[in-house]
Amino acid sequence: MSIGPVQLIVLGFNKPDFKGEVIEELGRLRDSDVVRVIDSLTVYKDAEGNVASLELSQMGAADRQELGAYVGALIGFGAAGEEGAEIGAALGAEAAADDEGMLDDALDVLAEIPPDSAAAIILLEHRWAIPLRDSIMRAGGFRVADGFIHPLDLVAIGLIAAEEAEALAAAQK
């Protein structure tokens, strides 16, 4: 399995009004092989503070097990070198095989989200970037930095109108 660049995104929703649009869009992007949701957790806290959650992955069990081994290896390697990578790979594969979500223990957003709002934690693979990444690597290139540009910065350089940037910035709060 070739894995594309992976990004962790945490999104907040004030007074959420979910109608399935986000899941439909992620499905459309998956169907066109643009992105794939490796794991996601959506947490909703009602006005009284009661919490409900929903986990979603667009990967099959075999892919989750293989990817769990890689993620576990990365975590183990960072903690204890090559020996840690082997232990982490085994534990990551085991957790994925047991259908334990990779994000369940990664972030605790419950305390951070206010009542009557929601948060979505998405581990997203950028499938579109695999050929680009591979060609950059073959050319001897490497990533120096990356990040999203704030909409108001796009106004400053004249790429988008101020009204559009204000709407995008408001949506990002």
Side-chain angles (χ1 to χ4, degrees):
M1 170 175 64
S2 178
I3 186 85
V6 176
Q7 179 180 21
L8 179 68
I9 303 171
V10 180
L11 307 168
F13 298 88
N14 289 320
K15 299 195 185 294
D17 185 20
F18 298 124
K19 296 177 180 152
E21 292 176 87
V22 175
I23 291 174
E24 286 177 20
E25 182 60 19
L26 287 169
R28 186 188 69 76
L29 292 170
R30 179 205 54 226
D31 292 345
S32 61
D33 207 31
V34 174
V35 299
R36 178 171 54 173
V37 175
I38 295 170
D39 202 359
S40 72
L41 181 66
T42 303
V43 179
Y44 173 71
K45 188 183 287 186
D46 68 16
E48 289 78 40
N50 299 311
V51 175
S53 65
L54 171 67
E55 188 166 1
L56 169 72
S57 175
Q58 294 176 334
M59 300 179 73
D63 285 344
R64 280 197 316 272
Q65 185 171 3
E66 184 176 346
L67 186 62
Y70 289 127
V71 171
L74 286 172
I75 293 168
F77 188 74
E82 288 183 36
E83 184 179 331
E86 291 175 15
I87 294 168
L91 292 174
E94 183 181 322
D98 291 340
D99 205 26
E100 294 177 16
M102 286 181 248
L103 297 175
D104 287 347
D105 297 322
L107 295 173
D108 182 9
V109 297
L110 293 179
E112 299 298 319
I113 63 171
D116 203 21
S117 66
I121 307 165
I122 303 170
L123 193 59
L124 188 70
E125 176 192 12
H126 292 275
R127 302 282 305 157
W128 63 269
I130 294 172
L132 175 62
R133 178 206 53 211
D134 293 351
S135 67
I136 290 168
M137 290 174 59
R138 285 190 298 273
F142 54 92
R143 183 183 61 81
V144 174
D146 60 42
F148 286 103
I149 307 299
H150 193 279
L152 295 177
D153 294 329
L154 298 175
V155 171
I157 63 171
L159 189 59
I160 62 174
E163 297 80 21
E164 183 180 356
E166 288 172 7
L168 288 170
Q172 291 180 2
K173 289 184 179 180

